């Protein structure tokens, strides 16, 4: 029986190798993240900003801005992705490059460390330090944020980052490997750079936003479900009440609504982009965030991450158990 079981395990080696790559990537992204300045996706973000400065003209018609956004996204994503995907196919040890790609795509997962530092700064009433720490992570204005605004911004980033980090990486790696994870992450990075609710990118970012709405619908829903089950029936009910903004549903707002429900706080509300005020839906599920609301949000996301890591580990173990029963 042992040789037969060993042979079955060998036949499924791709499954176990993929699980190991995923698990180590998730683990290292938490305990040994790259410094933000050294992250390739941050450099990609800078290129995207420069591209937008050159081709995004507000005086053009809406359709021209949409076309410019679509062509810019193609020009930024396709060449870089094609080169890396081609190199991945030619690599003698593709598992190593798959690990590197996943590790890079997961580096926003270390925002919980920044969130903890922001919480400490707010506890010490050092709002200037909190704003400085948040500035590289957000595209919205931070210089005028109050203590409540800083708490809200930190919590919202904390609970939405895993959608395109942990959850998308796990699902897309299972479906299409590291190449699909990279393509999805690059598209999401463009959306984070060209924020759809920023008036400056209202039409320019629309093609990327539409594509990401479809692409990240399942990861968003699964992450929202992972959050909602920790808040009981009330939070689960929020899962089925889409939050709309200007007639359009934003998955990030839905995620924030569920997190607000679980934490019993208020999130959302007005934001500023380049000095322009944008009114977003207030998510009233309790009082304004208090001093340790960020710490509670960190605990919430930590538990949810453990759920997903457990999923990554348990699936191959269950499969191996079924294989063993098959020959028993």
């Amino acid at each position: 029986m042992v040789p037969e079981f060993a042979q079955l395990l060998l036949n499924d080696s791709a499954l176990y190798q993929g699980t190991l790559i995923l698990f180590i990537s998730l683990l290292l992204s938490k305990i040994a993240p790259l410094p933000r300045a050294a992250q390739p996706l941050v450099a990609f973000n800078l290129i995207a900003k420069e591209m937008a400065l050159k081709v995004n003209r507000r005086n053009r018609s809406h359709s021209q801005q949409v076309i410019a956004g679509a062509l810019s996204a193609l020009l930024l994503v396709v060449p870089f992705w094609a080169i890396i995907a081609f190199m991945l196919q030619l690599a003698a040890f593709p598992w190593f490059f798959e690990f590197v790609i996943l590790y890079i795509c997961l580096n926003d997962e270390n925002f919980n460390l920044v969130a903890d530092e922001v919480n400490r700064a707010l506890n010490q009433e050092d709002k200037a330090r909190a704003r400085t720490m948040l500035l590289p992570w957000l595209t919205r204005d931070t210089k005028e944020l109050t203590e409540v605004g800083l708490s809200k911004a930190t919590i919202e980033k904390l609970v939405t980052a895993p959608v395109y980090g942990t959850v998308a990486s796990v699902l897309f790696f299972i479906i299409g490997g590291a190449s699909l994870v990279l393509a999805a992450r690059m598209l999401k990075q463009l959306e984070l750079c060209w924020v759809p609710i920023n008036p400056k990118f209202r039409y320019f970012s629309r093609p990327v936003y539409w594509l990401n709405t479809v692409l990240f619908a399942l990861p968003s829903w699964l992450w929202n479900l992972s959050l909602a089950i920790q808040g009981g029936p009330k939070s689960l009910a929020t899962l089925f009440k889409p939050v709309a903004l200007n007639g359009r549903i934003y998955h990030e707002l839905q995620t924030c609504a569920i997190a607000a429900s679980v934490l019993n706080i208020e999130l959302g509300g007005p934001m500023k982009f380049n000095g322009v005020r944008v009114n977003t839906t207030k998510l009233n599920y309790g009082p304004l965030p208090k001093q340790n609301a960020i710490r509670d949000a960190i605990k919430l996301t930590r538990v949810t991450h453990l759920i997903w890591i457990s999923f990554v580990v348990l699936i191959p173990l269950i499969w191996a158990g079924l294989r063993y029963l098959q020959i028993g």
Side-chain angles (χ1 to χ4, degrees):
M1 182 182 292
V2 173
E4 292 179 15
F5 183 59
Q7 184 61 43
L8 286 174
L9 291 179
L10 187 61
N11 293 339
D12 297 328
S13 59
L15 169 65
Y16 304 120
Q17 179 177 292
T19 300
L20 191 60
I21 292 169
L22 258 178
F23 179 75
I24 294 176
S25 301
L26 289 166
L27 188 63
L28 282 184
S29 69
K30 288 293 185 185
I31 64 175
L34 278 175
R36 187 163 178 80
Q39 293 178 21
L41 285 170
V42 173
F44 181 73
N45 199 62
L46 295 175
I47 296 171
K49 287 181 179 178
E50 289 298 319
M51 175 71 78
L53 284 174
K54 293 182 181 299
V55 302
N56 182 26
R57 298 285 184 266
R58 301 285 299 281
N59 58 349
R60 291 175 178 170
S61 68
H62 297 168
S63 60
Q64 286 178 317
Q65 291 180 55
V66 170
I67 292 170
L71 293 176
S72 298
L74 286 171
L75 186 60
L76 286 167
V77 173
V78 172
F80 291 116
W81 177 83
I83 291 169
I84 295 171
F86 182 68
M87 291 174 62
L88 190 59
Q89 295 299 318
L90 294 180
F93 301 101
W95 59 267
F96 174 75
F97 292 96
E98 288 178 341
F99 159 73
V100 171
I101 290 171
L102 285 172
Y103 176 64
I104 289 171
C105 291
L106 285 164
N107 259 272
D108 270 15
E109 295 295 280
N110 69 343
F111 181 73
N112 64 310
L113 302 176
V114 178
D116 192 44
E117 288 298 318
V118 170
N119 187 62
R120 290 180 188 174
L122 292 178
N123 287 341
Q124 296 167 3
E125 299 184 357
D126 191 351
K127 289 184 285 189
R129 179 164 159 255
R131 293 182 187 121
T132 301
M133 287 186 291
L134 276 181
L135 184 61
W137 293 89
L138 303 177
T139 53
R140 59 188 286 191
D141 296 352
T142 60
K143 62 183 179 181
E144 297 178 4
L145 286 178
T146 63
E147 182 176 340
V148 169
L150 288 165
S151 295
K152 283 186 177 183
T154 303
I155 293 169
E156 288 165 7
K157 179 68 177 179
L158 189 65
V159 299
T160 56
V163 172
Y164 59 84
T166 296
V167 183
S169 295
V170 170
L171 291 181
F172 294 149
F173 187 70
I174 293 171
I175 295 169
S179 297
L180 181 58
V181 174
L182 179 63
R185 186 65 180 83
M186 292 173 77
L187 287 167
K188 188 63 182 182
Q189 193 67 28
L190 291 182
E191 183 185 337
L192 295 172
C193 181
W194 307 334
V195 183
I197 58 177
N198 184 344
K200 182 179 179 180
F201 299 114
R202 181 179 179 185
Y203 299 101
F204 184 77
S205 68
R206 194 163 284 184
V208 171
Y209 167 74
W210 284 337
L211 182 56
N212 284 344
T213 296
V214 176
L215 193 61
F216 288 92
L218 182 59
S220 294
W221 192 86
L222 290 174
W223 175 255
N224 292 347
L225 177 63
S226 305
L227 291 174
I229 59 177
Q230 299 177 63
K234 181 186 71 170
S235 298
L236 284 168
T238 308
L239 188 65
F240 302 98
K241 296 178 182 177
V243 180
L245 177 63
N246 299 328
R248 297 160 67 190
I249 295 172
Y250 285 88
H251 293 293
E252 290 197 353
L253 280 179
Q254 187 69 32
T255 303
C256 292
I258 292 168
S261 175
V262 175
L263 296 169
N264 296 310
I265 58 173
E266 178 190 299
L267 293 177
M271 302 180 185
K272 278 191 176 181
F273 296 92
N274 305 116
V276 179
R277 179 187 171 100
V278 176
N279 290 318
T280 65
T281 308
K282 278 192 176 183
L283 309 168
N284 293 305
Y285 293 92
L288 293 171
K290 295 180 181 178
Q291 194 172 49
N292 287 315
I294 295 174
R295 189 67 55 82
D296 294 336
I298 291 172
K299 291 178 183 177
L300 174 65
T301 55
R302 189 173 292 155
V303 171
T304 318
H305 276 115
L306 286 174
I307 292 172
W308 278 89
I309 292 173
S310 300
F311 169 78
V312 170
V313 173
L314 284 174
I315 291 300
L317 290 177
I318 292 171
W319 181 253
L322 292 173
R323 284 295 211 179
Y324 182 77
L325 292 174
Q326 182 182 349
I327 62 172

